[in-house]
Amino acid sequence: MSTKIATAKKPAATKTSPRPELGQVMFGSDILVRALEREGVECIFAYPGGASMEIHQALTRSTIRTVLPRHEQGGAFAAGGYGRATGRPGVCMATSGPGATNLVTGIADAYMDSVPLVAITGQVPQAMIGKGAFQETDIFGMTLPAVKHSYLITNVNDIPRIVKEAFYIARTGRPGPVVIDFPKNLQQAKTQPVWPAQVHLRGYDPDKRADDLALNEIIGLIEKAERPVLYCGGGIITANASPELLHFAEAAQIPVTTTIMGCGAFPETHELSLRWLGMHGAAFANWAVSGEFAPRKSPDQPMVGVRPGADLLLAFGVRFDDRVTGKVDEFCKTGTIVHIDIDQSEHQKNRKVHLAVESDIKYALGRLNDMIRKRPIKKNFSAWRAQIAEWKGRAPFRYGMTEELIRSEHMRDHLQGRECEVILPQMAIEALYRQTRGEAIITTGVGQHQMWAGQYYKFTSPRQFLTSAGLGAMGFGYPAALGAKVARPDKQVIDIDGDGSFLMNVQELATAHIEKIAAKAMILNNQHLGMVMQWEDSFYQGNRGHTYLGDPARRRQIYPDYVTMARGFNVPSERVMYKKDLQAAIQRMLDSDQPYLLDVICPYTEHVIPFIPANRTVADMVY
Ligand SMILES: Cc1ncc(C[n+]2csc(CCOP(=O)(O)OP(=O)(O)O)c2C)c(N)n1
Ligand SMILES: [Mg+2]
């Protein structure tokens, strides 16, 4: 089959344009804040400084809630958490120079995971730009490769248009971060704002729709297939296309695997769910996509097929990330691949596919559903589903006691050898899943705990699992939980974190307490940078290269003491070490109406499995 790109239909042009509105004369800083109000912004995560304090003054005259994070990175991640939890742009702000550079990681995180975010930075006065002025940084230039778009305001009259465009760009099409850099002299300048009613952006048309020809071809491919698999990502969640996906998968009886970004796009408790795939994804999902192979000891040995994988892969709203594909040429090697994505630049980028369609996935799935409603798919793929059931039975996510654990320092120093009392990290997540009835919004740091959170908490709704997937930024979990809790005060929001990751933004406990944001943190404290340690064990004979986080002089002590630290922030907290205490401790955390820290002491000996090492294949999977 040839490679094609289906053309997208142009939306009909609107005939009558609403008129712009004239406002009262005011300062640039007030115009910016008014513009945010007009965009429906309810909360901004903002840390002040010389180049942004004018805007803070304006915020004191606004209905917008200003949350003061205790580090700009915390503010950027909180805005990212808000954006992920709602689909509406999260907003953060910082002063020029160090304030702005502290936002960069949060901006890059939003870029990698296509999260709507507007980041506002104060800038030195225009006359000082380029002079190496105090706290001058070219944040426009510095963030250029990690933004969807950016602005440096050069005329006070442009503010209303720029803000309107920024929000439109951040949330439409493939969402992403937009930076607005705002020189101080323009914050202090006065003008009469003209509020535009519409956005006109030449060359930016986010309304992409597949044509019926391409969609019909997909139906034809399904009818010819014996082993189809849906491989779905964050694009489904962004497009609010979960209901359409559920309908399509059920109507066509096609099993669904997701990326980590796609967790919750399809209910993971559904019998057609293959959970998530890739480096630490389900063995059965990886087999279903790429086939089952005889395990091999080294990549030099040949790959010996045992059972074939998908002969048709429907890749919807995904980007063939290397953590998903491993060695990309071996990924779904024998299948026909259809890729639907709203961003044409993802087509044929990481993986050559047979049919590439540029479209909003909600529209495409809706049309596919119309088509199969009129002409139902005859096949029911029962033999394929039976094969998948056999794989699921053979290799579920699982854990247990290992010899290494029994002989470990952790067992000796903290449990006096009482095996039945050890809390394995996977166990703590399963308990949290049960006790929250699977309904909490979960955020994470980055590391082993992040992978286990994805494996042992089953997500049934979109926007329920908020994790720094593409950038993999430690320190994301707790501030993101704050942002999500601000957006969804009705939900339990719990950060399942690592001891290393949590420490990177520990200062946000102050934000939580002062702002009364009742986000919870459950730290799976293994006293190590666990994921790096796992790689040391796998590829460096266990030689520790600065991955121990405890106090080497007092290895029997848990260090640092998060409970004491939380107390310093006036945040209730508790440590739990024994299994017998776990359930009640989790319940106390859930029952609290305040922010809360639960420090769960876990052994460091666990490895995350399944594991396909980087750039390896399904034949190299440890499971
Ligand atoms: C900001 C940042 N620095 C470094 C890394 C590299 N890294 C990935 S996982 C990891 C260990 C994380 O340790 P912890 O948060 O305790 O989680 P665990 O793996 O122990 O569950 C590190 C250092 C990263 N992802 N992000
Ligand atoms: Mg750790």
Side-chain angles (χ1 to χ4, degrees), residues 599-616:
D599 188 25
V600 183
I601 310 302
C602 299
Y604 58 86
T605 43
E606 291 301 287
H607 281 191
V608 181
I609 49 163
F611 181 26
I612 302 176
N615 202 31
R616 297 278 189 84

mmCIF file with all atom_site columns, all heavy atoms in Angstrom, residues 599-616:
data_model
loop_
_atom_site.group_PDB
_atom_site.id
_atom_site.type_symbol
_atom_site.label_atom_id
_atom_site.label_alt_id
_atom_site.label_comp_id
_atom_site.label_asym_id
_atom_site.label_entity_id
_atom_site.label_seq_id
_atom_site.pdbx_PDB_ins_code
_atom_site.Cartn_x
_atom_site.Cartn_y
_atom_site.Cartn_z
_atom_site.occupancy
_atom_site.B_iso_or_equiv
_atom_site.pdbx_formal_charge
_atom_site.auth_seq_id
_atom_site.auth_comp_id
_atom_site.auth_asym_id
_atom_site.auth_atom_id
_atom_site.pdbx_PDB_model_num
ATOM 1   N N   . ASP A 1 599 ? 4.186  9.423  54.315 1.00 0.00 ? 599 ASP A N   1
ATOM 2   C CA  . ASP A 1 599 ? 5.515  8.932  53.959 1.00 0.00 ? 599 ASP A CA  1
ATOM 3   C C   . ASP A 1 599 ? 5.510  7.413  54.123 1.00 0.00 ? 599 ASP A C   1
ATOM 4   O O   . ASP A 1 599 ? 5.494  6.910  55.245 1.00 0.00 ? 599 ASP A O   1
ATOM 5   C CB  . ASP A 1 599 ? 6.521  9.602  54.920 1.00 0.00 ? 599 ASP A CB  1
ATOM 6   C CG  . ASP A 1 599 ? 7.967  9.327  54.538 1.00 0.00 ? 599 ASP A CG  1
ATOM 7   O OD1 . ASP A 1 599 ? 8.234  9.060  53.351 1.00 0.00 ? 599 ASP A OD1 1
ATOM 8   O OD2 . ASP A 1 599 ? 8.831  9.398  55.440 1.00 0.00 ? 599 ASP A OD2 1
ATOM 9   N N   . VAL A 1 600 ? 5.474  6.710  53.011 1.00 0.00 ? 600 VAL A N   1
ATOM 10  C CA  . VAL A 1 600 ? 5.396  5.242  53.058 1.00 0.00 ? 600 VAL A CA  1
ATOM 11  C C   . VAL A 1 600 ? 6.799  4.682  52.817 1.00 0.00 ? 600 VAL A C   1
ATOM 12  O O   . VAL A 1 600 ? 7.366  4.863  51.734 1.00 0.00 ? 600 VAL A O   1
ATOM 13  C CB  . VAL A 1 600 ? 4.421  4.711  51.976 1.00 0.00 ? 600 VAL A CB  1
ATOM 14  C CG1 . VAL A 1 600 ? 4.291  3.197  52.078 1.00 0.00 ? 600 VAL A CG1 1
ATOM 15  C CG2 . VAL A 1 600 ? 3.057  5.378  52.093 1.00 0.00 ? 600 VAL A CG2 1
ATOM 16  N N   . ILE A 1 601 ? 7.336  4.031  53.826 1.00 0.00 ? 601 ILE A N   1
ATOM 17  C CA  . ILE A 1 601 ? 8.709  3.528  53.705 1.00 0.00 ? 601 ILE A CA  1
ATOM 18  C C   . ILE A 1 601 ? 8.686  2.168  52.993 1.00 0.00 ? 601 ILE A C   1
ATOM 19  O O   . ILE A 1 601 ? 8.027  1.229  53.443 1.00 0.00 ? 601 ILE A O   1
ATOM 20  C CB  . ILE A 1 601 ? 9.373  3.394  55.099 1.00 0.00 ? 601 ILE A CB  1
ATOM 21  C CG1 . ILE A 1 601 ? 9.210  4.698  55.902 1.00 0.00 ? 601 ILE A CG1 1
ATOM 22  C CG2 . ILE A 1 601 ? 10.843 3.006  54.951 1.00 0.00 ? 601 ILE A CG2 1
ATOM 23  C CD1 . ILE A 1 601 ? 9.787  5.936  55.258 1.00 0.00 ? 601 ILE A CD1 1
ATOM 24  N N   . CYS A 1 602 ? 9.395  2.119  51.880 1.00 0.00 ? 602 CYS A N   1
ATOM 25  C CA  . CYS A 1 602 ? 9.380  0.921  51.025 1.00 0.00 ? 602 CYS A CA  1
ATOM 26  C C   . CYS A 1 602 ? 10.806 0.421  50.809 1.00 0.00 ? 602 CYS A C   1
ATOM 27  O O   . CYS A 1 602 ? 11.756 1.197  50.877 1.00 0.00 ? 602 CYS A O   1
ATOM 28  C CB  . CYS A 1 602 ? 8.817  1.256  49.648 1.00 0.00 ? 602 CYS A CB  1
ATOM 29  S SG  . CYS A 1 602 ? 7.138  1.846  49.664 1.00 0.00 ? 602 CYS A SG  1
ATOM 30  N N   . PRO A 1 603 ? 10.951 -0.861 50.472 1.00 0.00 ? 603 PRO A N   1
ATOM 31  C CA  . PRO A 1 603 ? 12.297 -1.352 50.144 1.00 0.00 ? 603 PRO A CA  1
ATOM 32  C C   . PRO A 1 603 ? 12.781 -0.804 48.805 1.00 0.00 ? 603 PRO A C   1
ATOM 33  O O   . PRO A 1 603 ? 11.977 -0.403 47.969 1.00 0.00 ? 603 PRO A O   1
ATOM 34  C CB  . PRO A 1 603 ? 12.104 -2.862 50.054 1.00 0.00 ? 603 PRO A CB  1
ATOM 35  C CG  . PRO A 1 603 ? 10.658 -3.051 49.774 1.00 0.00 ? 603 PRO A CG  1
ATOM 36  C CD  . PRO A 1 603 ? 9.935  -1.906 50.402 1.00 0.00 ? 603 PRO A CD  1
ATOM 37  N N   . TYR A 1 604 ? 14.100 -0.792 48.613 1.00 0.00 ? 604 TYR A N   1
ATOM 38  C CA  . TYR A 1 604 ? 14.676 -0.251 47.380 1.00 0.00 ? 604 TYR A CA  1
ATOM 39  C C   . TYR A 1 604 ? 15.004 -1.361 46.397 1.00 0.00 ? 604 TYR A C   1
ATOM 40  O O   . TYR A 1 604 ? 15.535 -1.096 45.321 1.00 0.00 ? 604 TYR A O   1
ATOM 41  C CB  . TYR A 1 604 ? 15.957 0.538  47.711 1.00 0.00 ? 604 TYR A CB  1
ATOM 42  C CG  . TYR A 1 604 ? 16.978 -0.315 48.430 1.00 0.00 ? 604 TYR A CG  1
ATOM 43  C CD1 . TYR A 1 604 ? 17.888 -1.102 47.729 1.00 0.00 ? 604 TYR A CD1 1
ATOM 44  C CD2 . TYR A 1 604 ? 16.973 -0.386 49.814 1.00 0.00 ? 604 TYR A CD2 1
ATOM 45  C CE1 . TYR A 1 604 ? 18.771 -1.927 48.390 1.00 0.00 ? 604 TYR A CE1 1
ATOM 46  C CE2 . TYR A 1 604 ? 17.859 -1.203 50.485 1.00 0.00 ? 604 TYR A CE2 1
ATOM 47  C CZ  . TYR A 1 604 ? 18.755 -1.984 49.764 1.00 0.00 ? 604 TYR A CZ  1
ATOM 48  O OH  . TYR A 1 604 ? 19.621 -2.812 50.420 1.00 0.00 ? 604 TYR A OH  1
ATOM 49  N N   . THR A 1 605 ? 14.704 -2.590 46.779 1.00 0.00 ? 605 THR A N   1
ATOM 50  C CA  . THR A 1 605 ? 15.163 -3.731 45.971 1.00 0.00 ? 605 THR A CA  1
ATOM 51  C C   . THR A 1 605 ? 14.267 -4.044 44.771 1.00 0.00 ? 605 THR A C   1
ATOM 52  O O   . THR A 1 605 ? 14.653 -4.825 43.910 1.00 0.00 ? 605 THR A O   1
ATOM 53  C CB  . THR A 1 605 ? 15.227 -4.989 46.859 1.00 0.00 ? 605 THR A CB  1
ATOM 54  O OG1 . THR A 1 605 ? 14.046 -5.011 47.672 1.00 0.00 ? 605 THR A OG1 1
ATOM 55  C CG2 . THR A 1 605 ? 16.456 -4.985 47.724 1.00 0.00 ? 605 THR A CG2 1
ATOM 56  N N   . GLU A 1 606 ? 13.085 -3.433 44.727 1.00 0.00 ? 606 GLU A N   1
ATOM 57  C CA  . GLU A 1 606 ? 12.153 -3.746 43.642 1.00 0.00 ? 606 GLU A CA  1
ATOM 58  C C   . GLU A 1 606 ? 12.609 -3.182 42.307 1.00 0.00 ? 606 GLU A C   1
ATOM 59  O O   . GLU A 1 606 ? 13.148 -2.073 42.243 1.00 0.00 ? 606 GLU A O   1
ATOM 60  C CB  . GLU A 1 606 ? 10.778 -3.154 43.961 1.00 0.00 ? 606 GLU A CB  1
ATOM 61  C CG  . GLU A 1 606 ? 10.063 -3.829 45.104 1.00 0.00 ? 606 GLU A CG  1
ATOM 62  C CD  . GLU A 1 606 ? 9.840  -5.285 44.839 1.00 0.00 ? 606 GLU A CD  1
ATOM 63  O OE1 . GLU A 1 606 ? 8.979  -5.620 44.013 1.00 0.00 ? 606 GLU A OE1 1
ATOM 64  O OE2 . GLU A 1 606 ? 10.559 -6.118 45.443 1.00 0.00 ? 606 GLU A OE2 1
ATOM 65  N N   . HIS A 1 607 ? 12.348 -3.927 41.244 1.00 0.00 ? 607 HIS A N   1
ATOM 66  C CA  . HIS A 1 607 ? 12.535 -3.412 39.889 1.00 0.00 ? 607 HIS A CA  1
ATOM 67  C C   . HIS A 1 607 ? 11.175 -3.309 39.212 1.00 0.00 ? 607 HIS A C   1
ATOM 68  O O   . HIS A 1 607 ? 10.297 -4.119 39.483 1.00 0.00 ? 607 HIS A O   1
ATOM 69  C CB  . HIS A 1 607 ? 13.423 -4.346 39.058 1.00 0.00 ? 607 HIS A CB  1
ATOM 70  C CG  . HIS A 1 607 ? 14.882 -4.178 39.364 1.00 0.00 ? 607 HIS A CG  1
ATOM 71  N ND1 . HIS A 1 607 ? 15.858 -4.744 38.611 1.00 0.00 ? 607 HIS A ND1 1
ATOM 72  C CD2 . HIS A 1 607 ? 15.524 -3.490 40.348 1.00 0.00 ? 607 HIS A CD2 1
ATOM 73  C CE1 . HIS A 1 607 ? 17.053 -4.425 39.100 1.00 0.00 ? 607 HIS A CE1 1
ATOM 74  N NE2 . HIS A 1 607 ? 16.868 -3.666 40.170 1.00 0.00 ? 607 HIS A NE2 1
ATOM 75  N N   . VAL A 1 608 ? 11.030 -2.289 38.346 1.00 0.00 ? 608 VAL A N   1
ATOM 76  C CA  . VAL A 1 608 ? 9.782  -2.171 37.592 1.00 0.00 ? 608 VAL A CA  1
ATOM 77  C C   . VAL A 1 608 ? 9.842  -3.164 36.434 1.00 0.00 ? 608 VAL A C   1
ATOM 78  O O   . VAL A 1 608 ? 10.740 -3.103 35.599 1.00 0.00 ? 608 VAL A O   1
ATOM 79  C CB  . VAL A 1 608 ? 9.584  -0.755 37.009 1.00 0.00 ? 608 VAL A CB  1
ATOM 80  C CG1 . VAL A 1 608 ? 8.260  -0.677 36.264 1.00 0.00 ? 608 VAL A CG1 1
ATOM 81  C CG2 . VAL A 1 608 ? 9.649  0.297  38.098 1.00 0.00 ? 608 VAL A CG2 1
ATOM 82  N N   . ILE A 1 609 ? 8.903  -4.076 36.428 1.00 0.00 ? 609 ILE A N   1
ATOM 83  C CA  . ILE A 1 609 ? 8.737  -4.958 35.271 1.00 0.00 ? 609 ILE A CA  1
ATOM 84  C C   . ILE A 1 609 ? 7.282  -4.889 34.814 1.00 0.00 ? 609 ILE A C   1
ATOM 85  O O   . ILE A 1 609 ? 6.425  -4.547 35.624 1.00 0.00 ? 609 ILE A O   1
ATOM 86  C CB  . ILE A 1 609 ? 9.141  -6.426 35.580 1.00 0.00 ? 609 ILE A CB  1
ATOM 87  C CG1 . ILE A 1 609 ? 8.474  -6.896 36.866 1.00 0.00 ? 609 ILE A CG1 1
ATOM 88  C CG2 . ILE A 1 609 ? 10.625 -6.605 35.612 1.00 0.00 ? 609 ILE A CG2 1
ATOM 89  C CD1 . ILE A 1 609 ? 8.487  -8.381 37.023 1.00 0.00 ? 609 ILE A CD1 1
ATOM 90  N N   . PRO A 1 610 ? 6.973  -5.197 33.586 1.00 0.00 ? 610 PRO A N   1
ATOM 91  C CA  . PRO A 1 610 ? 7.861  -5.526 32.480 1.00 0.00 ? 610 PRO A CA  1
ATOM 92  C C   . PRO A 1 610 ? 8.878  -4.415 32.189 1.00 0.00 ? 610 PRO A C   1
ATOM 93  O O   . PRO A 1 610 ? 8.660  -3.269 32.553 1.00 0.00 ? 610 PRO A O   1
ATOM 94  C CB  . PRO A 1 610 ? 6.910  -5.693 31.295 1.00 0.00 ? 610 PRO A CB  1
ATOM 95  C CG  . PRO A 1 610 ? 5.573  -5.950 31.884 1.00 0.00 ? 610 PRO A CG  1
ATOM 96  C CD  . PRO A 1 610 ? 5.562  -5.231 33.195 1.00 0.00 ? 610 PRO A CD  1
ATOM 97  N N   . PHE A 1 611 ? 9.958  -4.829 31.516 1.00 0.00 ? 611 PHE A N   1
ATOM 98  C CA  . PHE A 1 611 ? 11.008 -3.882 31.170 1.00 0.00 ? 611 PHE A CA  1
ATOM 99  C C   . PHE A 1 611 ? 11.583 -4.249 29.798 1.00 0.00 ? 611 PHE A C   1
ATOM 100 O O   . PHE A 1 611 ? 12.129 -5.328 29.621 1.00 0.00 ? 611 PHE A O   1
ATOM 101 C CB  . PHE A 1 611 ? 12.101 -3.917 32.250 1.00 0.00 ? 611 PHE A CB  1
ATOM 102 C CG  . PHE A 1 611 ? 13.249 -2.963 32.037 1.00 0.00 ? 611 PHE A CG  1
ATOM 103 C CD1 . PHE A 1 611 ? 13.096 -1.787 31.303 1.00 0.00 ? 611 PHE A CD1 1
ATOM 104 C CD2 . PHE A 1 611 ? 14.500 -3.226 32.593 1.00 0.00 ? 611 PHE A CD2 1
ATOM 105 C CE1 . PHE A 1 611 ? 14.165 -0.907 31.120 1.00 0.00 ? 611 PHE A CE1 1
ATOM 106 C CE2 . PHE A 1 611 ? 15.571 -2.349 32.419 1.00 0.00 ? 611 PHE A CE2 1
ATOM 107 C CZ  . PHE A 1 611 ? 15.400 -1.185 31.677 1.00 0.00 ? 611 PHE A CZ  1
ATOM 108 N N   . ILE A 1 612 ? 11.408 -3.342 28.846 1.00 0.00 ? 612 ILE A N   1
ATOM 109 C CA  . ILE A 1 612 ? 12.094 -3.473 27.551 1.00 0.00 ? 612 ILE A CA  1
ATOM 110 C C   . ILE A 1 612 ? 13.179 -2.399 27.551 1.00 0.00 ? 612 ILE A C   1
ATOM 111 O O   . ILE A 1 612 ? 12.866 -1.205 27.505 1.00 0.00 ? 612 ILE A O   1
ATOM 112 C CB  . ILE A 1 612 ? 11.148 -3.246 26.351 1.00 0.00 ? 612 ILE A CB  1
ATOM 113 C CG1 . ILE A 1 612 ? 9.978  -4.237 26.387 1.00 0.00 ? 612 ILE A CG1 1
ATOM 114 C CG2 . ILE A 1 612 ? 11.926 -3.363 25.034 1.00 0.00 ? 612 ILE A CG2 1
ATOM 115 C CD1 . ILE A 1 612 ? 8.935  -4.016 25.278 1.00 0.00 ? 612 ILE A CD1 1
ATOM 116 N N   . PRO A 1 613 ? 14.454 -2.780 27.651 1.00 0.00 ? 613 PRO A N   1
ATOM 117 C CA  . PRO A 1 613 ? 15.506 -1.754 27.681 1.00 0.00 ? 613 PRO A CA  1
ATOM 118 C C   . PRO A 1 613 ? 15.430 -0.842 26.456 1.00 0.00 ? 613 PRO A C   1
ATOM 119 O O   . PRO A 1 613 ? 14.916 -1.240 25.406 1.00 0.00 ? 613 PRO A O   1
ATOM 120 C CB  . PRO A 1 613 ? 16.795 -2.580 27.691 1.00 0.00 ? 613 PRO A CB  1
ATOM 121 C CG  . PRO A 1 613 ? 16.396 -3.907 28.260 1.00 0.00 ? 613 PRO A CG  1
ATOM 122 C CD  . PRO A 1 613 ? 14.999 -4.143 27.775 1.00 0.00 ? 613 PRO A CD  1
ATOM 123 N N   . ALA A 1 614 ? 15.957 0.380  26.608 1.00 0.00 ? 614 ALA A N   1
ATOM 124 C CA  . ALA A 1 614 ? 15.872 1.395  25.544 1.00 0.00 ? 614 ALA A CA  1
ATOM 125 C C   . ALA A 1 614 ? 16.411 0.846  24.221 1.00 0.00 ? 614 ALA A C   1
ATOM 126 O O   . ALA A 1 614 ? 17.427 0.139  24.197 1.00 0.00 ? 614 ALA A O   1
ATOM 127 C CB  . ALA A 1 614 ? 16.671 2.631  25.955 1.00 0.00 ? 614 ALA A CB  1
ATOM 128 N N   . ASN A 1 615 ? 15.693 1.157  23.158 1.00 0.00 ? 615 ASN A N   1
ATOM 129 C CA  . ASN A 1 615 ? 16.076 0.749  21.792 1.00 0.00 ? 615 ASN A CA  1
ATOM 130 C C   . ASN A 1 615 ? 16.166 -0.766 21.605 1.00 0.00 ? 615 ASN A C   1
ATOM 131 O O   . ASN A 1 615 ? 16.863 -1.244 20.728 1.00 0.00 ? 615 ASN A O   1
ATOM 132 C CB  . ASN A 1 615 ? 17.390 1.431  21.381 1.00 0.00 ? 615 ASN A CB  1
ATOM 133 C CG  . ASN A 1 615 ? 17.532 1.469  19.865 1.00 0.00 ? 615 ASN A CG  1
ATOM 134 O OD1 . ASN A 1 615 ? 16.519 1.544  19.146 1.00 0.00 ? 615 ASN A OD1 1
ATOM 135 N ND2 . ASN A 1 615 ? 18.748 1.374  19.378 1.00 0.00 ? 615 ASN A ND2 1
ATOM 136 N N   . ARG A 1 616 ? 15.499 -1.521 22.474 1.00 0.00 ? 616 ARG A N   1
ATOM 137 C CA  . ARG A 1 616 ? 15.423 -2.975 22.297 1.00 0.00 ? 616 ARG A CA  1
ATOM 138 C C   . ARG A 1 616 ? 14.008 -3.344 21.850 1.00 0.00 ? 616 ARG A C   1
ATOM 139 O O   . ARG A 1 616 ? 13.161 -2.478 21.649 1.00 0.00 ? 616 ARG A O   1
ATOM 140 C CB  . ARG A 1 616 ? 15.766 -3.702 23.599 1.00 0.00 ? 616 ARG A CB  1
ATOM 141 C CG  . ARG A 1 616 ? 17.173 -3.464 24.078 1.00 0.00 ? 616 ARG A CG  1
ATOM 142 C CD  . ARG A 1 616 ? 18.174 -4.376 23.376 1.00 0.00 ? 616 ARG A CD  1
ATOM 143 N NE  . ARG A 1 616 ? 19.480 -4.248 24.020 1.00 0.00 ? 616 ARG A NE  1
ATOM 144 C CZ  . ARG A 1 616 ? 19.838 -4.924 25.116 1.00 0.00 ? 616 ARG A CZ  1
ATOM 145 N NH1 . ARG A 1 616 ? 19.018 -5.786 25.682 1.00 0.00 ? 616 ARG A NH1 1
ATOM 146 N NH2 . ARG A 1 616 ? 21.022 -4.746 25.645 1.00 0.00 ? 616 ARG A NH2 1
#
